[in-house]
Amino acid sequence: MSLMPRPSSLPRLLTVQKVQRPPKLDRSRLRLSLTPLERPVFIAKKRFSYAYDSRIIARELPTSLAHSRAGIGVSLEVLVQETIRKLGHLDEAGSALLPVENLIRGVRSRGMSHQYSSDAIRASVNGLIARKRLTWETGSCAADGVLHFPARPGERTVRLVCYTPFVLPKPKKQRVVHLPSASSRHGVAGHLMKIGHLGKQASDTAQAAYADAHRSAGLTGSHQLPKGHTYVKPHKRGGLT
């Protein structure tokens, strides 16, 4: 009596198919270059030895509303800077221009910032302007209420607070930047995201959401979504799912 199993009871073998290799990339079409930093930067315990886009690295930093040890004045300046920096995410260039009244409204709408008076916020803005973190610019307001910069002839002139992304001076020592861990719950500000290079277009919902966010913030310029971009609504990230 044969003890050999029938062919049908033998374990099935994996069939190996020959996979064709993708065509080699033309080196003339793809060029990558890195710019070495004079000193390394450590972000979330990871070493960065080459230049990086700080706007991408720091975009999802959680809002810090805690009072600083130096006093309320310093923490209010931090809050003002965080507010106008996040408003810059609605602009293709990362900048933000708006009347000081609109900025005050934006600051007071966040967290526990309602405890600050308009005069205190205005004084904080003036302090940041004195240190050239912010600047004054002259814009104009059309009959329909849309703000323009530069100012347009025939329109009412308006003084605007201007925030422009700037590069911090290189420190003499190593910098350490703390980012939230993957499990920490934090808010992500609404922001533009490029999609033009993907051959995609923003949906009607994204266009409407951007127009509402831009209008509510009281920023200068058209409320129309910039070409080649979509809008990502504010949302929460991290934490338990």
Side-chain angles (χ1 to χ4, degrees), residues 1-71:
M1 181 176 179
S2 175
L3 298 179
M4 291 294 293
R6 296 180 181 180
S8 60
S9 64
L10 290 174
R12 295 182 180 179
L13 298 178
L14 296 176
T15 58
V16 179
Q17 297 180 351
K18 185 177 180 180
V19 179
Q20 295 182 352
R21 294 183 178 181
K24 293 183 178 181
L25 292 175
D26 186 349
R27 293 183 180 180
S28 63
R29 298 181 183 177
L30 181 62
R31 294 182 181 180
L32 301 176
S33 61
L34 298 174
T35 304
L37 296 174
E38 292 184 1
R39 293 180 179 83
V41 176
F42 291 86
I43 302 178
K45 298 182 179 181
K46 183 176 180 180
R47 179 188 178 102
F48 284 74
S49 300
Y50 299 91
Y52 59 92
D53 190 336
S54 59
R55 292 174 299 180
I56 296 176
I57 298 298
R59 168 164 283 172
E60 297 180 2
L61 282 174
T63 302
S64 174
L65 297 181
H67 294 291
S68 67
R69 295 180 180 178

Side-chain angles (χ1 to χ4, degrees), residues 80 100 103-104 120-130 134 136 161:
V80 171
V100 66
L103 177 56
I104 291 174
I121 298 174
R122 194 182 300 271
S124 180
V125 171
N126 289 333
L128 291 169
I129 289 175
L134 303 174
W136 288 118
V161 180

Side-chain angles (χ1 to χ4, degrees), residues 162-214:
C162 177
Y163 162 76
T164 303
F166 59 91
V167 179
L168 292 173
K170 295 180 180 179
K172 296 181 180 179
K173 297 181 179 180
Q174 293 178 344
R175 289 178 291 169
V176 179
V177 181
H178 298 284
L179 291 181
S181 64
S183 61
S184 61
R185 189 73 170 171
H186 60 281
V188 179
H191 60 273
L192 293 173
M193 183 173 68
K194 289 185 178 181
I195 58 173
H197 64 290
L198 301 175
K200 297 182 178 180
Q201 294 182 349
S203 64
D204 293 340
T205 302
Q207 294 182 39
Y210 175 80
D212 182 64
H214 196 276

Side-chain angles (χ1 to χ4, degrees), residues 82-199:
E82 286 181 344
T83 300
I84 197 167
R85 179 177 63 85
K86 290 183 181 297
L87 292 179
H89 294 334
L90 300 178
D91 182 83
E92 188 174 358
S95 60
L97 289 95
L98 68 168
V100 66
E101 293 80 8
N102 295 357
L103 177 56
I104 291 174
R105 185 176 68 245
V107 171
R108 299 195 68 186
S109 66
R110 300 181 60 191
M112 298 176 61
S113 56
H114 61 273
Q115 63 184 306
Y116 300 114
S117 67
S118 297
D119 290 340
I121 298 174
R122 194 182 300 271
S124 180
V125 171
N126 289 333
L128 291 169
I129 289 175
R131 297 203 303 277
K132 298 183 179 180
R133 292 296 180 89
L134 303 174
T135 58
W136 288 118
E137 299 291 348
T138 301
S140 63
C141 183
D144 57 1
V146 176
L147 298 166
H148 297 117
F149 178 80
R152 295 184 178 183
E155 294 183 351
R156 176 174 58 88
T157 58
V158 179
R159 190 166 71 158
L160 306 170
V161 180
C162 177
Y163 162 76
T164 303
F166 59 91
V167 179
L168 292 173
K170 295 180 180 179
K172 296 181 180 179
K173 297 181 179 180
Q174 293 178 344
R175 289 178 291 169
V176 179
V177 181
H178 298 284
L179 291 181
S181 64
S183 61
S184 61
R185 189 73 170 171
H186 60 281
V188 179
H191 60 273
L192 293 173
M193 183 173 68
K194 289 185 178 181
I195 58 173
H197 64 290
L198 301 175

